[in-house]
Amino acid sequence: MKTYTTLTLEREGHTAVLTFNRPEVLNALNTTVATEALEAVETVGCDPEVRVLILTGAGRAFVAGADIAEMQSKNAQQARVYSELGHRFMNTLQDLPQPVIAAINGFCLGGGLEVALACDIRIAAEAAQFGLPETILGIIPGWGATQRAARLVGAARTKEMIFTGTRIKAAEALAMGLVNRVVPDGELMDTVREMAASMSRQGQTALRRAKQVINRGIELGLDEALRLEIDTFVDLFDTPDRCEGMRAFLEKRKPNFSGA
Ligand code: COA
């Protein structure tokens, strides 16, 4: 896969692993990282061989936020360009056809938490720490956290995180539903790879359609969202993978999906 300067993108079978790789600044997100990460995620989205994307960070951080050194000299117009780039990156991640798992190995602050919030699933190591410390810098989150965190854990918890800027530990993040699971530090990548492998064995059309229904449905009223579920459920009955999946179950064997 293509070489980048601020991250690595590797293929492990049907899984792609994107690793933010500026450990000397705790993987802080500057314009180059955001541009490269957007390109890498778009590449993954177009690759039919990749069934799951994992995001993680090199060193002791997942991502410790936007690069404050770069942000410091920006004017309002440049801040808009940076925020819009971030939103493009986050939206692309959220809308990726494949499931995306954040493997959160350490500091997950500011823009780092915003990246994690745009993923489908968040698995944290015990050492991970979370926070939205932007107000101490005189700004607010600018890559989606005001909305995605509020939708995930509720407005009150999001306000507490943003108004106080306090860092919280993995156990507390789990208790409030910010992460799906917390695992011992040394087991993070094995756990996430195992989860990715399990997703890779499912009917891929069904899995991708499930992601669309959940993501789109959550933004709709209940009646419309439930109709979307019915339509998608019905559509899938016309797919070869549905025939194979049900036949394999009845013949007591593993399915051999074609991905169609
Ligand atoms: N932007 C730019 N550089 C950053 C950074 C960021 N968001 N986060 C960390 N770094 C740099 C530090 O400046 C330091 O560089 P230096 O070695 O040249 O001094 C290096 O990464 C290591 O960080 P350091 O602060 O020494 O590590 P620590 O273990 O003492 O503290 C944190 C870790 C995460 C608590 C602390 O780095 C921090 O608060 N970072 C900023 C988090 C933040 O506000 N993010 C939101 C931005 S909108």
Side-chain angles (χ1 to χ4, degrees):
M1 296 189 112
K2 195 186 155 186
T3 307
Y4 297 92
T5 58
T6 61
L7 54 90
T8 61
L9 181 64
E10 290 160 326
R11 268 279 297 282
E12 301 173 0
H14 288 300
T15 301
V17 182
L18 186 161
T19 306
F20 294 104
N21 192 24
R22 296 177 81 209
E24 68 287 357
V25 287
L26 305 181
N27 304 323
L29 298 164
N30 62 13
T31 303
T32 308
V33 184
T35 306
E36 290 193 335
L38 172 60
E39 189 192 320
V41 169
E42 283 173 343
T43 304
V44 166
C46 296
D47 187 339
E49 291 303 310
V50 176
R51 297 184 182 174
V52 182
L53 172 63
I54 296 171
L55 260 53
T56 193
R60 61 195 179 95
F62 175 71
V63 168
D67 189 321
I68 300 166
E70 185 191 78
M71 266 197 310
Q72 191 254 341
S73 60
K74 286 192 193 303
N75 61 29
Q77 175 54 29
Q78 291 164 329
R80 178 175 296 282
V81 171
Y82 181 68
S83 180
E84 286 176 351
L85 170 64
H87 276 268
R88 262 205 318 283
F89 171 30
M90 298 303 99
N91 291 341
T92 305
L93 204 49
Q94 177 178 288
D95 296 339
L96 206 72
Q98 300 95 330
V100 185
I101 310 174
I104 303 166
N105 49 303
F107 292 113
C108 182
L109 304 173
L113 181 49
E114 294 180 296
V115 171
L117 286 165
C119 297
D120 297 303
I121 288 169
R122 287 155 289 281
I123 309 296
E126 281 168 350
Q129 291 189 38
F130 300 81
L132 293 168
E134 285 87 349
T135 54
I136 196 81
L137 302 169
I139 56 173
I140 66 165
W143 284 19
T146 59
Q147 304 311 309
R148 289 197 179 91
R151 281 163 172 72
L152 184 67
V153 300
R157 290 195 181 94
T158 303
K159 286 174 182 168
E160 185 178 338
M161 288 178 79
I162 294 176
F163 294 178
T164 68
T166 310
R167 285 207 299 275
I168 62 172
K169 297 209 158 101
E172 198 182 332
L174 179 65
M176 71 160 79
L178 195 59
V179 299
N180 294 57
R181 214 187 283 182
V182 177
V183 299
D185 296 339
E187 294 173 22
L188 177 66
M189 288 313 289
D190 283 351
T191 304
V192 171
R193 284 191 174 98
E194 225 167 85
M195 184 180 273
S198 144
M199 292 176 184
S200 295
R201 289 190 289 271
Q202 310 302 312
Q204 293 302 301
T205 308
L207 192 153
R208 290 173 181 214
R209 294 294 297 273
K211 174 169 170 170
Q212 284 172 3
V213 171
I214 296 165
N215 279 3
R216 280 176 36 206
I218 220 156
E219 302 301 335
L220 301 173
L222 185 60
D223 285 349
E224 203 183 337
L226 291 175
R227 275 197 301 277
L228 181 64
E229 183 190 88
I230 293 172
D231 290 344
T232 307
F233 178 79
V234 170
D235 279 356
L236 287 166
F237 273 72
D238 283 333
T239 62
D241 274 1
R242 182 294 279 198
C243 300
E244 169 60 11
M246 293 188 183
R247 197 181 311 121
F249 176 82
L250 295 172
E251 292 172 2
K252 301 190 190 307
R253 61 174 173 81
K254 289 207 169 106
N256 183 17
F257 289 125
S258 67

